[in-house]
Amino acid sequence: SAVISQKPSRDICQRGTSLTIQCQVDSQVTMMFWYRQQPGQSLTLIATANQGSEATYESGFVIDKFPISRPNLTFSTLTVSNMSPEDSSIYLCSVARGHPNYGYTFGSGTRLTVV
Amino acid sequence: GDSVTQMEGPVTLSEEAFLTINCTYTATGYPSLFWYVQYPGEGLQLLLKATKADDKGSNKGFEATYRKETTSFHLEKGSVQVSDSAVYFCALESGNTPLVFGKGTRLSVIA
């Protein structure tokens, strides 16, 4: 299965600023997924990123707030823009493990604190 | 839409106790079911999976059986260890939709 390198692992940011999170996969994958895990909560899908097309956002998430890039089949970035304390969460990227039923591999996550 | 409901935590057990974390699901199709584990300070890891009814997933002493008749996928372990302390997430995948997660159950095992 794929190995994902996600960075930064954590950051503390000032409100009003932006942070870009990177995910590098060791193999080519069609779709990459970005999740948010708010403190004490489950994972919520932010968007699905396909190479060569705009990301597909879930209800409650918009491109202006969470712009995503997918320049090639092994890399993606998620930017958290104009941050507020409510954006303090763990952000994770994920890819399918190959076969449709084999589950997903997750990056180690980015723990973001907005002050 | 598809959904996953799992028992709320936290669950606190003594070492070598028996563990059950309940998970039930609602899905329109025939989902694949997963348990993920998140150790303190780490990302999610796939613990086990089952892709069709009556399949049993197992890994590291954990087991879960896909029960279509009760739409359940309960996680069990016969003897927990301190190192099993983590948050456990039940999840499903159906058709082309991405993973749907339960809210997670925090397990604390004390020596």
Side-chain angles (χ1 to χ4, degrees):
Chain A
S1 61
V3 175
I4 302 175
S5 174
Q6 181 175 345
K7 59 182 181 181
S9 59
R10 59 180 61 229
D11 207 342
I12 301 173
C13 301
Q14 297 291 322
R15 67 177 67 202
T17 63
S18 298
L19 175 72
T20 295
I21 302 166
Q22 300 179 4
C23 271
Q24 178 75 52
V25 189
D26 69 345
S27 58
Q28 294 183 338
V29 293
T30 303
M31 292 191 289
M32 294 180 71
F33 306 93
W34 287 97
Y35 287 85
R36 181 176 72 183
Q37 184 181 16
Q38 293 177 300
Q41 302 296 315
S42 186
L43 282 78
T44 302
L45 182 64
I46 298 172
T48 302
N50 294 318
Q51 193 270 333
S53 63
E54 285 201 2
T56 303
Y57 289 82
E58 299 298 307
S59 176
F61 298 96
V62 295
I63 188 171
D64 290 347
K65 176 66 175 178
F66 297 101
I68 288 172
S69 78
R70 186 79 203 276
N72 57 55
L73 290 173
T74 64
F75 187 78
S76 180
T77 67
L78 170 75
T79 299
V80 186
S81 303
N82 188 24
M83 289 184 284
S84 66
E86 292 72 33
D87 294 321
S88 298
S89 295
I90 298 173
Y91 293 86
L92 299 106
C93 61
S94 173
V95 301
R97 287 163 63 95
H99 189 279
N101 292 327
Y102 277 17
Y104 293 76
T105 298
F106 286 82
S108 54
T110 297
R111 185 179 296 272
L112 171 63
T113 302
V114 183
V115 298
Chain B
D2 296 347
S3 66
V4 174
T5 302
Q6 62 182 103
M7 64 185 287
E8 293 190 19
V11 174
T12 302
L13 295 174
S14 298
E15 210 166 20
E16 298 184 2
F18 184 86
L19 168 71
T20 299
I21 301 178
N22 291 336
C23 172
T24 57
Y25 68 90
T26 302
T28 53
Y30 299 94
S32 295
L33 301 173
F34 307 90
W35 277 99
Y36 282 83
V37 58
Q38 186 176 35
Y39 296 104
E42 299 184 14
L44 268 73
Q45 301 175 26
L46 178 63
L47 180 60
L48 53 84
K49 65 175 176 65
T51 59
K52 61 183 186 297
D54 299 325
D55 268 2
K56 177 185 284 188
S58 61
N59 186 25
K60 298 181 181 179
F62 291 89
E63 292 183 342
T65 301
Y66 189 143
R67 300 287 188 199
K68 187 178 178 183
E69 63 275 15
T70 54
T71 61
S72 65
F73 192 55
H74 304 322
L75 182 68
E76 296 181 337
K77 186 173 185 181
S79 176
V80 294
Q81 305 300 312
V82 172
S83 57
D84 294 326
S85 297
V87 181
Y88 293 82
F89 293 92
C90 186
L92 71 81
E93 179 190 13
S94 181
N96 293 321
T97 59
L99 284 175
V100 175
F101 286 90
K103 291 189 175 182
T105 303
R106 181 176 298 278
L107 169 66
S108 296
V109 180
I110 54 177

